[in-house]
Amino acid sequence: MRTPIIILLFVILLAASCGEPPMPPSDEEMIRHFTTHEVAFRKVYEIMAESSEGSFHYPPLSLLSEIGCGFILVDRREWGTADSVYVSLVMPYYSHGIVDAGTSKSFVYDPGLRSRRNIRITEYGDLNEIYRRTYNDTTLYKPIKGNWYIELDHSI
């Protein structure tokens, strides 16, 4: 008698887990999160910008917890003169799927983003809705403030 109940529970759990993938946070939610924790985001940038090749300092876990990002991808190189350093950051905030097929939304700091070719930046509409209309491989950016952006990356 217990076996049919266990099988029924298993089927219910399986059916519930096979539904639609979770929705990424809206741009509005991410902008509100950035605004609430802007000081922490700027502190993360300062820590990464002050590090040099010989002495790399990673932000404390408490700071990463505050911004809601578990890790940071850093692009650091000389820019212009030898004294000038280019630092861009990608801080994944949401991710669903597998390596070559999925959706992610990240906070990005990139002072040169607008000058790069083949970058799609939009100030209008929610990035989630834009990619849903086309539903193909897409990377989109939305400005937050200054050199801070939301990046939506979707691959199928």
Side-chain angles (χ1 to χ4, degrees):
M1 189 71 154
R2 283 193 162 163
T3 303
I5 293 172
I6 292 172
I7 292 173
L8 180 61
L9 288 173
F10 177 73
V11 169
I12 291 170
L13 287 173
L14 183 62
S17 67
C18 291
E20 290 286 317
M23 293 294 295
S26 70
D27 298 349
E28 185 178 304
E29 290 172 284
M30 290 187 69
I31 290 169
R32 191 172 34 253
H33 180 76
F34 177 86
T35 302
T36 302
H37 302 283
E38 184 174 356
V39 171
F41 277 98
R42 291 185 184 280
K43 183 66 177 167
V44 167
Y45 171 76
E46 289 170 11
I47 290 169
M48 303 313 288
E50 290 173 3
S51 295
S52 65
E53 284 186 38
S55 65
F56 181 76
H57 300 288
Y58 205 71
L61 292 177
S62 59
L63 193 55
L64 294 177
S65 176
E66 183 176 342
I67 65 172
C69 303
F71 64 95
I72 302 167
L73 304 169
V74 181
D75 180 9
R76 178 184 182 78
R77 55 187 123 123
E78 288 184 13
W79 194 22
T81 66
D83 295 341
S84 185
V85 176
Y86 173 88
V87 176
S88 69
L89 308 174
V90 176
M91 298 174 247
Y93 185 69
Y94 167 89
S95 181
H96 182 269
I98 55 176
V99 173
D100 60 348
T103 303
S104 66
K105 283 186 96 170
S106 304
F107 292 101
V108 172
Y109 177 88
D110 192 334
L113 186 69
R114 289 190 183 271
S115 64
R116 288 197 277 154
R117 286 194 238 151
N118 301 325
I119 296 294
R120 292 181 52 201
I121 299 173
T122 183
E123 296 188 27
Y124 306 103
D126 188 85
L127 297 178
N128 297 346
E129 292 303 319
I130 293 170
Y131 99 81
R132 264 193 223 105
R133 282 193 301 254
T134 59
Y135 203 73
N136 56 11
D137 288 357
T138 305
T139 301
L140 301 168
Y141 295 87
K142 184 174 213 167
I144 299 175
K145 182 178 185 180
N147 293 322
W148 290 95
Y149 300 86
I150 297 170
E151 175 192 57
L152 176 127
D153 185 54
H154 177 75
S155 57
I156 51 175

